[in-house]
């Protein structure tokens, strides 16, 4: 919800003709009409009416929580007596753990067995976990949040053993993959996540914002997401990218507070919004913002284009230096993974379903600590019942 347009201060009396001419001149200079939804802030100072209208419409759709299930409605009946191994990048990653919980819940509903093996967040640990998974000879294996290229030898073993593999955030795009060999990859579209994150800034600021963008260019996926955010921000000429902060995620705990202190010194009140490729940057930014006397409710108003883990929701709901996140529907994606395996076991193609983007704020989350849309459990149960 955006604040209403500010009203003009009273001016000295002028003739009707002069007032009309001034109004026409002002409209021509600004390039913006007075129509459209009220926003609460001043009109866009640089004038981006088309981008602003588009951003507002997209954000309104993405903030809607009363959404019906638009996923698959047809598919094979449950194939009995199957087993799944979920290989986690690390179960300390809330996104990875959230999907694992969804897989376990859905497997119970369909009547399958699930085992989770933790890769402990290291290449050696992940390789060992996937090797162990293959040795167990399960019906299917989930790649939970890591790049299969790191485990190319193990992936070749799984393919030779004819074990279907499904990824979650394993490659950049949703859907089937030939290299690496995945029956499908479950994720939202990075293009959609990046665009709606930037649109939220354009819409909430009414086209007038000074933005800092946090990313990790050492991860190609993250670098691409940041470039897409930057591209969408540039569609509104009143939105200025003040700084592009390249901070590797493993170093974020140390480097982010230092960077934030420097940014506050450089830009002061000109810094009004932030976007980050992952919510965790705002957990690390909070101490520096607090020490500088910045209000937890903003500015700067911060949006994470990340998984939407419980800690991000807690910051948002308590107005502690994060205003919004673009969360993955983690539990629903766990159910989708089980449904995709059922299609693989029945020798049917993947569903190609991609969850739409959602924006979570304090106004629409109702105190929840995850984004859990309605209808998917019932939808998948109907399919599996045959």
């Amino acid at each position: 919800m955006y604040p209403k347009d500010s009203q003009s201060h009273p001016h000295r009396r002028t003739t009707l003709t002069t007032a009309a001419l001034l109004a026409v001149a002002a409209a021509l200079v600004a390039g913006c009409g007075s129509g459209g939804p009220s926003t609460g802030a001043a009109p866009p100072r640089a004038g981006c009416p088309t981008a602003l209208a588009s951003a507002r419409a997209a954000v309104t759709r993405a903030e809607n929580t009363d959404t019906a299930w638009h996923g698959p409605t047809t598919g094979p009946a449950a194939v009995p007596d199957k087993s799944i191994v979920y290989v986690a990048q690390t179960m300390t990653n809330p996104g990875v753990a959230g999907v694992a919980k969804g897989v376990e819940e859905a497997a119970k509903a369909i009547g399958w067995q699930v085992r989770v093996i933790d890769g402990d967040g290291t290449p050696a640990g992940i390789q060992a976990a996937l090797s162990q998974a293959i040795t167990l000879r399960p019906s299917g294996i989930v790649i939970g949040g890591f790049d299969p290229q790191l485990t190319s030898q193990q992936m070749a073993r799984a393919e030779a053993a004819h074990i279907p593999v499904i990824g979650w955030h394993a490659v950049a795009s949703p859907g089937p993959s030939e290299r690496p060999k995945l029956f499908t990859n479950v994720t939202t579209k990075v293009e959609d996540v990046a665009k709606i994150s930037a649109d939220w800034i354009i819409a909430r600021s009414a086209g007038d914002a000074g933005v800092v963008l946090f990313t990790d260019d050492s991860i190609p996926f993250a670098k691409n997401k940041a470039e897409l955010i930057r591209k969408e921000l540039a569609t509104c000429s009143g939105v200025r990218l003040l700084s592009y902060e390249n901070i590797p995620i493993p170093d974020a705990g140390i480097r982010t507070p230092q960077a934030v202190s420097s940014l506050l010194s450089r830009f002061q009140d000109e810094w009004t919004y932030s976007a980050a490729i992952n919510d965790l940057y705002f957990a690390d930014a909070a101490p520096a913002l607090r020490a500088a006397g910045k209000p937890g409710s903003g500015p700067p108003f911060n949006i994470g284009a990340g998984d939407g883990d419980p800690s991000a929701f807690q910051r948002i709901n308590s107005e502690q230096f994060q205003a919004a996140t673009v969360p993955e529907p983690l539990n629903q994606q766990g159910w989708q993974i089980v449904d995709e395996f059922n299609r693989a076991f029945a020798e049917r193609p993947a569903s190609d379903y991609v969850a739409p983007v959602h924006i979570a704020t304090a106004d629409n989350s109702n105190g929840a600590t995850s984004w859990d849309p309605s209808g998917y459990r019932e939808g998948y149960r109907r399919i599996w019942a045959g």
Side-chain angles (χ1 to χ4, degrees), residues 21-323:
L21 289 172
L22 287 173
V24 171
L28 290 171
V29 171
C32 292
S34 59
S38 56
T39 66
R45 74 179 192 180
C48 62
T50 302
L52 180 55
S54 175
R56 283 176 172 163
V59 168
T60 297
R61 289 192 299 270
E63 288 184 342
N64 184 19
T65 59
D66 187 20
T67 55
W69 172 240
H70 294 295
T73 57
T74 61
V79 178
D81 303 323
K82 296 298 181 180
S83 62
I84 303 298
V85 174
Y86 184 97
V87 180
Q89 178 252 347
T90 171
M91 288 295 283
T92 62
N93 181 321
V96 172
V99 174
K101 179 182 176 184
V103 169
E104 290 174 329
E105 183 182 285
K108 183 177 180 180
I110 203 172
W112 297 348
Q113 298 297 314
V114 174
R115 178 168 176 176
V116 176
I117 303 177
D118 195 339
D120 295 324
T122 66
I126 292 167
Q127 289 166 3
L130 187 51
S131 291
Q132 183 183 353
I134 295 165
T135 301
L136 293 172
R137 301 288 295 183
S139 308
I141 294 174
V142 183
I143 299 297
F146 61 88
D147 184 352
Q149 303 290 2
L150 299 173
T151 56
S152 56
Q153 292 182 354
Q154 289 81 7
M155 290 292 291
R157 284 178 54 202
E159 185 174 1
H162 303 289
I163 301 172
V165 178
I166 289 178
W168 178 79
H169 284 210
V171 294
S173 300
S177 170
E178 284 299 322
R179 294 185 181 179
K181 184 69 174 179
L182 299 172
F183 179 75
T184 195
N185 181 55
V186 176
T187 181
T188 50
K189 291 182 179 178
V190 65
E191 297 87 354
D192 295 344
V193 173
K195 184 177 185 302
I196 202 64
S197 302
D199 283 347
W200 181 85
I201 291 174
I202 294 170
R204 196 185 188 286
S205 69
D208 183 5
V211 183
V212 172
L213 177 56
F214 295 92
T215 187
D216 180 352
D217 279 353
S218 70
I219 304 172
F221 180 82
K223 182 179 181 181
N224 180 44
K225 185 189 289 187
E227 290 297 333
L228 291 167
I229 292 172
R230 174 153 55 182
K231 180 179 178 181
E232 182 67 10
L233 291 172
T235 64
C236 182
S237 54
V239 173
R240 291 88 59 204
L241 183 62
L242 303 177
S243 183
Y244 182 100
E245 294 293 315
N246 175 26
I247 301 174
I249 286 176
D251 301 334
I254 296 173
R255 290 182 53 182
T256 303
Q258 298 171 348
V260 168
S261 295
S262 175
L263 290 163
L264 289 169
S265 177
R266 288 166 58 197
F267 299 113
Q268 301 182 33
D269 291 343
E270 191 178 357
W271 176 14
T272 55
Y273 285 81
S274 312
I277 54 92
N278 192 294
D279 294 303
L280 64 84
Y281 286 99
F282 300 127
D284 298 323
L289 292 168
R290 190 177 292 111
K294 291 293 182 180
S297 58
F301 303 101
N302 302 321
I303 183 168
D307 294 344
D309 64 76
S311 66
F313 274 83
Q314 290 163 4
R315 286 191 297 275
I316 291 165
N317 292 334
S318 60
E319 296 187 332
Q320 288 299 305
F321 305 104
Q322 186 167 351

Side-chain angles (χ1 to χ4, degrees), residues 340-367:
E340 301 290 5
F341 272 124
N342 195 54
R343 293 167 191 270
F345 301 150
E347 299 184 349
R348 300 275 287 276
S351 73
D352 290 335
Y353 174 67
V354 179
V357 290
H358 175 68
I359 297 174
T361 67
D363 289 336
N364 70 2
S365 69
N366 295 318

